[in-house]
Amino acid sequence: MMDNWLKTSLLLCIFGFLKEIRPSEPYVTHFLVGHWKNFTTNEVYEQIYPVGTYSTLALLVLVFLVTDYVRHKPVIIADAAFGIAIYSILIWGQGIPLMQFMEVLYGGFMAGEVAYYTYIYASVDRDKYQMVSGHTRAAYLVGRCTSGVMAQVLVSTNAMDYLELNYITLGAMIAATAWAFLLPPTKSSIYFHRDKSIVPSQVGEERGEASIAEEPPQGRAARAFHFLWGDLKAAYTNMSVVKWSLWWALATCGYYQVLSYTQVIWEEIIQESGQQLYNGAVEALYTIIGALSALALGTLPLRWAVLGPPALASCALAQAATIYAIATTNDLWLAYACYIICLAAYQAMVTIASSEIAKQLKEESFGLIFGMNMFIALALQSILTLVVINWLKVPPRGQFVIYGSYFAVLGAGFVLVTLYSMIKGDWRGVTFKSLWLPKTQERAAASQ
Ligand SMILES: *[C@@H]1O[C@H](CO)[C@@H](O)[C@H](O)[C@H]1NC(C)=O
C-alpha cells in the first residue's frame, strides 16, 4: 500500500510534468514571425508580449485569493484548461487582437501556478512539505528538459515543423487538464479555511497575543486578511528575509525580461545570418546546468549569512556581463552560451535565496511570501516593460543594454551591502575556514 502523501505527491508530479511539456515554447517568437502568422518582430515584442506581463500582474492577487477561497483544485483544473485555450488560439488564431487575448490567458496561466505550489501545503502533513516540494521541483525540471530535448530532436530531424510542435503542447495541456481531476481535493486552505489545529500551535509570539486578546474579527474574510497581514508583517520585519527577498524580486524581474525577449534577438541574428535555431537544446541545457549548480551549492555547508551578499553581487554582475554580450553579438553561439550562463546562474542563486528565505518563515506562509515577492517582481517588470518597450520604444538590442545595466546596478547594490556588513563587523574574525559551517552545526541543522 502506498502512503497517502506519496500518492498525492505522485499525482501532483505527473500533473507538473505534463504541464511543462510545451515543446513549442522555445520557438514561439520564430513561429509568430514565420509564415504561419506573419507578424513582424516589432508587433510581437511591442504589442503582443507585454500584454502577458501586465495580465500576470493583474491576475496574480486575484488568483492567489481565489485559490485560497475555493481550495486549490478548481484553480489547478482551470489553469490547465487555460493552457488548452492558449495553444488552440496559437494554432488556429490569426491577428493581433486574438494574440493579445491569448496573452491575457497566458497571464492567467502563469498566475495559476500559485495554486499548484500552495496545494502541497494544504494536502500533505507538515513533515512531508520539504520532500513533496523536492518531488514537484524534480518533476518540473524533468518536464522542461524532456520538452526542450523533444523540441530540438523533432525540429532537427525535420520530423515536425514549428506549427506541429504546438499540437504536442496542446495534447499535453489536454492531458494535464484531465489529470488535474484526479488530484485529491484539499479540505483546508491557509487563509480562508484555516485548519483549526494550525491556529494555536502556529500563531507565533508576535501575532498570537494580539489575535487572542482582542475580540476575533468578524467574518471569514476579515479573519483571513487578519492572518494574511500577520504573516506579511512577521516576514518583512525580518532583515534577512528582506535582504534575500529584495534580490529575489529584482533578479526575477530581470530574469523574466531576458526569458521573454531573448528569442527576439536570436530571431534577428538568424534573419541576418541564416543560421538554424537550437532553442530547444538551449532550453534543456540551461535547465539542467541550473539545477545541478543549485544542487551543488545547496549541498555545500556554506555560511550563507556571511557569503550571501557577495555571492548575490557576483551573480548579478556576471548576469550583467552576459546580457551586454547578448545585446551586442551577431554570433548565435555566443548569444546562446551567454543566455545559458545568465539563466543557470539565476536558477542556482534563486534556489539558495528561496531556501534562505524559507528557513525564516513558517511553512504556511511560504505561498504568501513567495507570492508577494513574485508580485513585486511582476510590478517592476510591468514598469520596465511600460517604460522601455511601450513608451520609449527601445529596439530589442537596446532593451538588452538596459537589462544588462539593470543587473549591473543590482550587483553594485549588493557590493554596497557587502561593504556595509564588513564595516558593521559581520566579517570580523571570518577566515576561509569559517565560511563553512562546522560539521556538528551542520548535523544539528539537518536534524532540526
Ligand atoms: C504569410 O505570408 C506568406 C507569404 O507572403 C503567405 O503565403 C501566407 O499565406 C501568409 N500567411 C498568413 C497566415 O497570412
Side-chain angles (χ1 to χ4, degrees):
M1 254 309 268
M2 204 189 267
D3 287 341
N4 239 349
W5 72 269
L6 201 56
K7 207 174 120 199
T8 305
S9 180
L10 191 66
L11 288 170
L12 196 61
C13 283
I14 293 179
F15 173 77
F17 172 81
L18 288 172
K19 194 161 161 279
E20 290 309 316
I21 300 296
R22 304 196 295 267
S24 51
E25 212 169 62
Y27 297 101
V28 65
T29 303
H30 188 68
F31 174 68
L32 289 173
V33 303
H35 66 265
W36 301 276
K37 304 289 159 188
N38 287 343
F39 295 116
T40 64
T41 42
N42 231 2
E43 289 170 330
V44 169
Y45 79 78
E46 260 186 44
Q47 297 180 42
I48 299 177
Y49 288 170
V51 179
T53 305
Y54 302 143
S55 156
T56 315
L57 175 68
L59 293 172
L60 189 68
V61 175
L62 184 70
V63 172
F64 183 84
L65 294 175
V66 168
T67 298
D68 201 74
Y69 191 71
V70 303
R71 283 169 273 190
H72 312 89
K73 187 172 169 175
V75 178
I76 296 182
I77 296 173
D79 188 43
F82 268 41
I84 301 180
I86 291 164
Y87 288 94
S88 304
I89 295 176
L90 265 174
I91 294 170
W92 292 292
Q94 293 291 350
I96 289 180
L98 202 51
M99 290 303 141
Q100 287 176 326
F101 177 62
M102 179 275 291
E103 286 288 332
V104 172
L105 296 178
Y106 192 74
F109 185 70
M110 297 308 284
E113 303 241 300
V114 160
Y116 170 65
Y117 287 108
T118 52
Y119 177 88
I120 300 172
Y121 303 114
S123 62
V124 299
D125 287 335
R126 191 178 307 259
D127 57 335
K128 301 290 187 298
Y129 284 167
Q130 209 173 6
M131 197 104 80
V132 179
S133 323
H135 293 174
T136 52
R137 172 111 197 117
Y140 163 85
L141 291 170
V142 173
R144 276 194 79 92
C145 282
T146 311
S147 168
V149 170
M150 188 197 296
Q152 191 60 58
V153 169
L154 289 172
V155 166
S156 290
T157 56
N158 286 323
M160 282 194 177
D161 69 10
Y162 300 110
L163 169 66
E164 288 163 336
L165 287 182
N166 282 294
Y167 293 123
I168 300 185
T169 308
L170 181 62
M173 294 301 115
I174 293 171
T177 309
W179 192 268
F181 282 96
L182 298 178
L183 292 171
T186 51
K187 287 191 201 66
S188 65
S189 76
I190 298 159
Y191 296 101
F192 285 103
H193 310 273
R194 185 169 279 231
D195 189 343
K196 292 280 184 294
S197 70
I198 293 180
V199 179
S201 64
Q202 282 304 303
V203 168
E205 306 77 61
E206 309 98 351
R207 71 176 189 210
E209 259 70 273
S211 66
I212 290 163
E214 288 164 21
E215 187 69 275
Q218 295 308 305
R220 179 171 275 171
R223 203 161 45 238
F225 284 108
H226 178 70
F227 286 135
L228 220 144
W229 182 244
D231 279 349
L232 282 178
K233 219 166 72 182
Y236 291 115
T237 45
N238 179 332
M239 258 335 272
S240 172
V241 172
V242 170
K243 222 184 302 175
W244 288 97
S245 293
L246 196 66
W247 184 86
W248 197 102
L250 291 169
T252 301
C253 160
Y255 163 78
Y256 276 115
Q257 286 305 83
V258 172
L259 198 65
S260 314
Y261 295 101
T262 189
Q263 285 187 24
V264 178
I265 301 219
W266 297 341
E267 196 57 35
E268 283 193 350
I269 295 178
I270 64 157
Q271 276 173 9
E272 282 164 25
S273 69
Q275 276 172 291
Q276 224 210 323
L277 287 172
Y278 289 93
N279 301 4
V282 167
E283 210 69 23
L285 257 177
Y286 99 72
T287 309
I288 294 176
I289 295 174
L292 290 181
S293 342
L295 197 67
L297 281 180
T299 345
L300 296 176
L302 295 171
R303 202 187 282 276
W304 288 111
V306 176
L307 279 178
L312 296 176
S314 331
C315 179
L317 292 175
Q319 285 176 300
T322 51
I323 296 171
Y324 278 131
I326 296 174
T328 48
T329 187
N330 278 316
D331 180 4
L332 188 62
W333 293 108
L334 181 65
Y336 277 155
C338 287
Y339 175 78
I340 291 173
I341 295 170
C342 178
L343 268 60
Y346 166 82
Q347 298 245 313
M349 274 326 286
V350 85
T351 311
I352 302 291
S354 300
S355 84
E356 289 300 308
I357 295 169
K359 272 185 201 162
Q360 315 276 337
L361 301 176
K362 296 189 300 302
E363 280 97 344
E364 295 85 26
S365 61
F366 284 4
L368 176 69
I369 302 308
F370 286 106
M372 192 64 203
N373 287 349
M374 193 65 208
F375 182 77
I376 297 169
L378 278 164
L380 283 169
Q381 210 196 330
S382 297
I383 295 171
L384 207 56
T385 307
L386 192 68
V387 173
V388 174
I389 301 175
N390 292 130
W391 184 36
L392 298 177
K393 299 198 188 301
V394 180
R397 283 181 189 275
Q399 278 178 46
F400 270 62
V401 172
I402 294 175
Y403 304 147
S405 315
Y406 171 91
F407 273 102
V409 171
L410 180 61
F414 272 86
V415 168
L416 291 181
V417 173
T418 310
L419 292 177
Y420 176 71
S421 77
M422 280 175 162
I423 293 167
K424 226 179 63 191
D426 289 356
W427 285 71
R428 198 168 301 136
V430 170
T431 58
F432 181 70
K433 217 165 160 193
S434 69
L435 291 177
W436 303 78
L437 291 175
K439 270 277 175 291
T440 47
Q441 205 172 324
E442 188 193 328
R443 223 170 286 136
S447 65
Q448 259 166 24

